[in-house]
Amino acid sequence: MTKHTPVDGPYRITVEPIPAGVTLDVEPFVAKVVTDVIEKLLTDAYADRLAGLYDMQARDPHLIERPQDLPFEGLVDDLTAEVRTKLPVYGLQALRLAGRIDTLGAAAVSALQAEAEGSKAA
C-alpha cells in the first residue's frame, strides 16, 4: 500500500489530488463491471437486443422517441441493473480512504478559497 493507494483490495482505489479535489481511480472495479457486462451480453437475454442495436444504426433522424424507448439507453439501464454498482471498502481501508480524501480535499478547498479571495481583491 502506498499513500496514493489507501485501498488495496478487493479492488484497488488510488486517490490523486486535482485542483478542485481528488480523483478516485477504480480501474480494477470497472474492469470487473465490464467483465460482468460482457458476460451478460453473451447470454440469450441480451444477445438479441445487442444484435438489434446493430440493425438499427440506420434510423430516421427525424423520428421523435422518448429516452426510455431508445434501444441503446434501455440496454444501458437494464445492464446497469445487472452488474456491480457498489465499490466495497473494508475496515481500516475505509478509514485510510477517508483520511486520504480528507487530506487532499482540504488542500483543494483551501486553494479554491484563496483563489476566490484573490479574485475578490482584484
Side-chain angles (χ1 to χ4, degrees), residues 11-89:
Y11 303 103
R12 186 184 72 252
I13 301 173
T14 302
V15 181
E16 296 286 338
I18 58 174
V22 300
T23 61
L24 300 179
D25 182 356
V26 294
E27 182 180 344
F29 178 70
V30 171
K32 181 57 180 152
V33 170
V34 170
T35 299
D36 290 350
V37 169
I38 291 170
E39 287 173 354
K40 291 294 180 184
L41 287 173
L42 296 175
T43 67
D44 290 340
Y46 291 100
D48 291 341
R49 291 175 69 184
L50 183 62
L53 289 177
Y54 288 114
D55 294 340
M56 295 183 60
Q57 287 185 356
R59 294 179 56 104
D60 179 357
H62 304 291
L63 184 64
I64 298 173
E65 296 179 279
R66 298 175 304 177
Q68 64 269 25
D69 294 336
L70 297 172
F72 181 85
E73 286 77 0
L75 184 58
V76 169
D77 290 344
D78 291 345
L79 284 170
T80 299
E82 294 275 352
V83 300
R84 301 165 205 276
T85 59
K86 307 261 181 180
L87 182 61
V89 180

